């Protein structure tokens, strides 16, 4: 399970209206070999929480896509699944 804590430039939490997910593909996860693509559905939209089952250990790149407030934003980071 992933939970993203979205804040503005002053560190204040964004409301659901400030960080509107882009439908069913708001989180994308891809493995190092680019052979596995996961598109987990949100388990809680208000807290930007998602659940994903990784098929095997390894490094995965996770992308969060959202609108803030008028343009699309993308955050990416790497997780090492054991």
């Amino acid at each position: 399970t992933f939970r993203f804590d979205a804040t503005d430039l002053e560190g204040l939490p964004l409301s659901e209206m400030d960080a509107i997910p882009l439908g069913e593909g708001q989180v994308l996860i891809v493995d190092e070999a680019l052979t596995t693509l996961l598109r987990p559905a949100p388990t809680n939209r208000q807290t930007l929480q998602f659940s994903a089952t990784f098929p095997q250990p390894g490094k995965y790149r996770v992308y969060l896509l959202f609108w803030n407030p008028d343009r699309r934003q993308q955050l990416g980071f790497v997780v090492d699944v054991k």
Side-chain angles (χ1 to χ4, degrees):
T1 300
F2 289 94
R3 180 176 172 181
F4 297 95
D5 293 318
T7 61
D8 65 14
L9 293 175
E10 287 81 39
L12 299 172
L14 294 175
S15 70
E16 183 179 8
M17 295 304 291
D18 293 328
I20 302 171
L22 294 174
E24 288 302 311
Q26 63 272 62
V27 170
L28 301 174
I29 303 171
V30 63
D31 67 350
E32 275 189 306
L34 301 177
T35 57
T36 301
L37 175 66
L38 305 173
R39 297 178 72 179
T43 56
N44 186 326
R45 284 188 186 274
Q46 290 182 327
T47 60
L48 296 177
Q49 188 170 341
F50 305 87
S51 180
T53 301
F54 294 90
Q56 59 189 359
K59 291 187 180 181
Y60 291 82
R61 184 91 171 151
V62 179
Y63 297 96
L64 170 64
L65 309 172
F66 63 97
W67 290 92
N68 182 24
D70 299 321
R71 65 180 197 265
R72 181 175 150 182
Q73 298 286 312
Q74 175 178 312
L75 300 174
F77 55 93
V78 175
V79 295
D80 192 4
V81 177
K82 304 284 182 189

